[in-house]
Amino acid sequence: MAHLLENDKIRIEFDEATGGITKFCCKETGWELIRQPKLAMGIQLRVPAPGHRWNLAESGRQKLASFAAVPEEGAAVLRWEGLDFDQSGPLPIDAEMRVELTAGGASFTVTVDNRSRYMVEEVWAPNLGGFREPAGEQPVTALGMHFQGGFTKVRLGNGFPLNDYWGIDSPTVIKTFPSPDVTAPFMLLEKEGGGLYWGVHDPQPEIASFVYSFCPGYLDSKHHRLPAGDDLSGSPAGFCVSLVRVPCIQPGQRRTLAPVVLKPYEGDWHQGVKAYREWEETWYRPVPAPKWTAEADCWMTLQMNSSEGRCKYLYRDLPAVMKEAKQYGVQALQLIGWATGGQDGNEPFQDTDPLLGTREELMDAIRQIEEMGIRVLLMCKFKWADQSAPEFADKMAAHTLKDMRGHPVPFGGYAYDTLFQRFSGGSIHNGYGLCHSSADYRRAALKGFRKILELKPSGILYDELANPMLCCFDTSHGHAYGESIHKGSLLLAKEFYNLAQEAAGDFAFAGEGPSDMLSQYYSTNYIRSWDDGGEPHCPAGKYLHPEMHFASCLVGWDDREMANQCLVYSYILNYEPYNFKGRMSDIPLTAQYGMKIQKLRRRLWEYLWKGTFLHTDGAKVRPVGESGEYIYSVFEAANGKRAIAVANQEAERALTLQVAADSGCEKFLLYTPEEDGAKVSGSIVEIPARCACVLVEQ
């Protein structure tokens, strides 16, 4: 017999002996998530013991102590007592998992009572052992929010990656929040016609890993091919999908972890992310951004100096460079490599560089540029320290992240210009991560931030907000053992914001890849929206947070496709000639077409910039005849009318496309970058190669 939890949407069955989930059925779609119940999993913990950092309470070995149904709440509580570990044997550690059926989904909340003398390092729950796409369908793809504004993807089928095989038993992929790969604590398991949302509903940015393993292994490792069936050489075959936390529960502690929500959805990823958006609305409170940030849709990025002392520009050169840029519609400058040591040298110190001029010269250059009507954003970063900086030993060594053994956590620097920077052991500036959860370090960072404020720019762009360094074990910093440093990053963002409000008033905060939580302070995301591995960029970040601005790089000499993408996805045109080392006059073809895009956007400002970005919700655009590469988005203005922006990204041939608006509208006003006026158009349009248009509902 199995224990059962059921409502009109979901049916979950649990093994009566182990508590493993043997069935998870979405009634509306008929999708049975568990295809191989022999791999069913319940709770799983890891507790390091002397001589055995690997000490696992493997799910299948645990005995379910009790199953208590709470019918009036649509819930059940599973309890395991005295968990049995493979190296230490049974330990006085108990675990409970409350499973509650919600509107269309299920919530899993785990409590661990640690009465042992060891620390509970990992908690694995919930687990879907034996997960697979329905037989005969295409494999599931796991989607997570990527720091470049799109999706990180893992195909749970043939081609499933073989990463770090020496440290695992079966092919495994781990995607961890918060990191560049996962900037919001959820992922979507998407299949044909629908999928499964699973996310951690915790307004505190605790570390959470989405783990995908295929058991027992590949059928054919050369091609990363998986067996089609549910058995392989007598062993059950399927994916084990797990949500893993690293709470570092100390001896004598009892701790309840934030709930994990699983919610099936019908449709594509747009429907899947709505489950997260609904929860996010309960806590997401972005601070006000300066009004000018809502008007500046064209930037330029410029590097003054690299960590190899290239010194491409002096401070006094900047006004002339930007006077030229203004002629091309540039409204904001992101200035890189302006501080001592050049870009990615002498971090995190924010002193002006005598190689580039005096502090007064930089202040004067910023003043002149701002008087032109161009806002200046100074790039900075505070997440790591350059160990070769003269001030490192005295001012930063004490603030470095520490691992479990008390060693500083290394951070590899970045290579610029010379071969020896690219050689391991050459001239690269390596360093160590800095602990944002240390109040002492945050005070030091605020001193550096004050130096920036004194230069009187309009804002900063915090580089590398998406941080792969996750935690610190140095309790002398005043935080818990194994603390998520992202918590400290949130505190630092708030402290930066408060200081800027006191000192500068309207001060803009932009950043590269802020997590969903940090984006409450960093309202503009600096991204590269190039295609990834042949897959077109997807504006998932803009769809999740339509109120945010995304500045996307244009580096090509005739970058029409990127300019089109900025129009269609409501991205800031961010010019970076010579990979942010050149002038606007270096890329006349890109600049001239970009000006046309900007002019069209200004003409339809209430739709394409101030309107709500719906991506493909609200209309369907399909080819008439031969297909090709095209993109489109829908924008809804405050008056309720919609505009549909479409771009033909084919290099050489025109496309004929049919626009079917959900409103039923079949007559539009058609606008193009090349023409000042509008034409009346039906729902079928022909778009030349590398061109775009906007159709406004009549």
Side-chain angles (χ1 to χ4, degrees):
M1 291 291 292
H3 295 300
L4 176 65
L5 187 60
E6 183 176 24
N7 64 14
D8 59 343
K9 304 281 188 180
I10 301 291
R11 179 185 176 94
I12 305 176
E13 295 183 13
F14 305 88
D15 184 272
E16 63 178 0
T18 66
I21 300 174
T22 56
K23 283 184 178 293
F24 191 121
C25 183
C26 312
K27 293 184 177 181
E28 291 183 330
T29 64
W31 185 16
E32 173 56 70
L33 303 182
I34 307 296
R35 216 174 85 179
Q36 176 46 286
K38 293 179 182 178
L39 292 173
M41 296 175 69
I43 194 81
Q44 190 159 280
L45 270 65
R46 199 184 311 276
V47 172
H52 301 286
R53 291 218 70 253
W54 173 280
N55 185 33
L56 181 69
E58 188 270 328
S59 172
R61 294 176 50 181
Q62 309 315 309
K63 303 299 182 185
L64 186 64
S66 64
F67 179 94
V70 190
E72 65 276 11
E73 298 178 10
V77 177
L78 292 80
R79 181 172 177 82
W80 297 265
E81 298 176 351
L83 292 174
D84 186 13
F85 292 80
D86 59 1
Q87 302 295 330
S88 64
L91 292 173
I93 299 174
D94 302 338
E96 284 186 356
M97 183 165 67
R98 177 182 170 87
V99 185
E100 183 176 351
L101 298 184
T102 59
S107 174
F108 296 77
T109 303
V110 172
T111 299
V112 175
D113 185 5
N114 181 14
R115 302 186 313 282
S116 78
R117 57 194 176 98
Y118 305 127
M119 177 184 72
V120 176
E121 186 171 292
E122 299 177 10
V123 177
W124 295 51
N127 302 286
L128 298 178
F131 174 88
R132 201 82 181 267
E133 76 281 355
E137 290 192 7
Q138 291 298 308
V140 169
T141 299
L143 306 175
M145 298 300 304
H146 192 270
F147 82 111
Q148 298 289 13
F151 279 129
T152 180
K153 296 184 178 182
V154 181
R155 177 183 166 85
L156 305 188
N158 291 335
F160 185 66
L162 181 61
N163 297 330
D164 302 339
Y165 83 98
W166 54 89
I168 52 177
D169 296 349
S170 302
T172 300
V173 172
I174 302 172
K175 295 295 181 182
T176 298
F177 169 84
S179 72
D181 264 358
V182 186
T183 57
F186 75 91
M187 293 195 78
L188 305 178
L189 298 173
E190 186 150 283
K191 71 176 192 68
E192 295 177 17
L196 178 73
Y197 162 89
W198 62 318
V200 185
H201 287 194
D202 185 357
Q204 291 295 317
E206 299 284 5
I207 299 165
S209 292
F210 301 83
V211 180
Y212 307 94
S213 298
F214 188 83
C215 298
Y218 293 118
L219 177 69
D220 157 22
S221 66
K222 180 179 185 299
H223 301 99
H224 293 188
R225 189 155 54 93
L226 306 180
D230 302 325
D231 294 277
L232 183 61
S233 297
S235 296
F239 281 95
C240 293
V241 176
S242 302
L243 197 289
V244 185
R245 262 77 67 87
V246 284
C248 296
I249 301 171
Q250 300 300 313
Q253 284 187 343
R254 175 185 172 89
R255 185 164 169 190
T256 299
L257 305 183
V260 178
V261 173
L262 277 64
K263 189 172 184 179
Y265 61 89
E266 294 185 75
D268 63 9
W269 64 267
H270 297 88
Q271 300 302 312
V273 301
K274 287 179 180 177
Y276 186 76
R277 285 171 63 173
E278 289 170 2
W279 172 72
E280 191 182 52
E281 288 174 359
T282 65
W283 59 265
Y284 189 77
R285 301 291 182 268
V287 300
K291 291 181 180 179
W292 71 261
T293 61
E295 300 297 320
D297 69 329
C298 182
W299 289 15
M300 177 182 174
T301 297
L302 185 71
Q303 183 202 71
M304 299 193 70
N305 189 15
S306 75
S307 54
E308 291 290 78
R310 187 176 181 182
C311 297
K312 181 81 173 173
Y313 303 95
L314 302 178
Y315 295 143
R316 62 174 179 265
D317 297 331
L318 294 175
V321 174
M322 297 316 296
K323 183 178 180 180
E324 175 193 85
K326 185 175 176 63
Q327 299 174 24
Y328 294 96
V330 172
Q331 300 156 307
L333 165 67
Q334 180 193 177
L335 194 60
I336 297 176
W338 59 272
T340 304
Q343 185 174 2
D344 291 308
N346 280 49
E347 300 293 356
F349 304 102
Q350 309 299 325
D351 299 300
T352 53
D353 192 339
L355 293 175
L356 305 177
T358 66
R359 179 179 178 82
E360 291 69 27
E361 285 177 320
L362 177 55
M363 290 183 68
D364 186 58
I366 292 172
R367 178 188 60 78
Q368 290 186 55
I369 295 168
E370 294 265 347
E371 287 177 353
M372 295 177 197
I374 297 176
R375 302 289 186 161
V376 177
L377 300 167
L378 295 182
M379 196 191 86
C380 56
K381 62 185 76 181
F382 294 91
K383 79 171 189 180
W384 69 283
D386 177 1
Q387 63 181 338
S388 65
E391 308 98 319
F392 172 77
D394 290 339
K395 296 184 178 180
M396 286 296 141
H399 305 310
T400 55
L401 296 170
K402 302 298 193 304
D403 65 18
M404 288 181 171
R405 296 170 179 83
H407 301 143
V409 176
F411 181 82
Y414 297 96
Y416 296 95
D417 303 318
T418 68
L419 282 178
F420 275 112
Q421 273 233 326
R422 298 180 181 277
F423 295 162
S424 178
S427 65
I428 197 166
H429 292 243
N430 292 311
Y432 300 103
L434 291 168
C435 182
H436 287 186
S437 292
S438 162
D440 287 341
Y441 172 62
R442 293 199 305 275
R443 282 189 284 270
L446 283 168
K447 290 180 181 178
F449 184 56
R450 284 192 185 93
K451 294 178 183 178
I452 294 174
L453 291 174
E454 290 167 0
L455 296 170
K456 299 189 183 305
S458 284
I460 61 168
L461 192 140
Y462 190 137
D463 196 35
E464 300 174 7
L465 272 169
N467 192 348
M469 297 176 290
L470 298 175
C471 52
C472 182
F473 296 88
D474 188 346
T475 56
S476 72
H477 289 170
H479 58 68
Y481 186 80
E483 182 77 287
S484 164
I485 67 163
H486 204 61
K487 291 182 180 178
S489 297
L490 267 177
L491 292 173
L492 183 61
K494 183 177 181 179
E495 290 164 0
F496 278 172
Y497 176 77
N498 290 339
L499 181 58
Q501 287 294 103
E502 294 172 10
D506 276 352
F507 192 85
F509 288 86
E512 182 187 20
S515 71
D516 60 334
M517 296 173 187
L518 283 177
S519 66
Q520 296 174 101
Y521 292 93
Y522 298 92
S523 59
T524 300
N525 188 356
Y526 172 59
I527 65 172
R528 294 93 178 161
S529 58
W530 305 313
D531 292 354
D532 182 13
E535 284 209 21
H537 170 78
C538 176
K542 182 68 177 177
Y543 184 79
L544 181 63
H545 289 141
E547 76 287 348
M548 282 192 68
H549 298 297
F550 291 76
S552 182
C553 306
L554 284 77
V555 302
W557 257 241
D558 187 13
D559 232 352
R560 293 175 67 97
E561 288 78 7
M562 290 298 292
N564 288 339
Q565 184 171 269
C566 287
L567 175 75
V568 172
Y569 294 158
S570 195
Y571 289 169
I572 295 168
L573 295 150
N574 180 28
Y575 296 110
E576 297 194 349
Y578 282 109
N579 298 337
F580 56 81
K581 303 172 193 70
R583 298 174 179 240
M584 288 297 297
S585 56
D586 293 326
I587 52 170
L589 293 176
T590 296
Q592 289 161 12
Y593 186 66
M595 290 174 70
K596 293 179 180 179
I597 290 292
Q598 193 179 6
K599 184 178 180 181
L600 174 58
R601 180 150 62 191
R602 289 281 163 178
R603 196 180 309 146
L604 299 172
W605 194 248
E606 296 302 313
Y607 292 96
L608 303 183
W609 196 252
K610 295 183 72 175
T612 301
F613 177 77
L614 302 176
H615 194 212
T616 57
D617 288 350
K620 290 181 174 59
V621 177
R622 297 288 184 264
V624 177
E626 188 176 4
S627 187
E629 183 184 356
Y630 64 93
I631 56 175
Y632 73 97
S633 290
V634 180
F635 299 84
E636 185 170 276
N639 62 11
K641 291 175 63 177
R642 292 178 174 180
I644 303 161
V646 190
N648 175 6
Q649 303 290 65
E650 285 292 320
E652 297 179 348
R653 60 189 178 85
L655 291 177
T656 301
L657 302 171
Q658 182 169 28
V659 177
D662 287 1
S663 65
C665 179
E666 295 183 348
K667 286 190 176 182
F668 304 88
L669 287 177
L670 176 68
Y671 297 82
T672 69
E674 288 79 10
E675 299 176 2
D676 289 335
K679 298 178 180 178
V680 176
S681 172
S683 60
I684 296 178
V685 293
E686 183 173 325
I687 308 176
R690 312 185 73 203
C691 290
C693 70
V694 180
L695 296 97
V696 178
E697 292 181 342
Q698 284 195 285

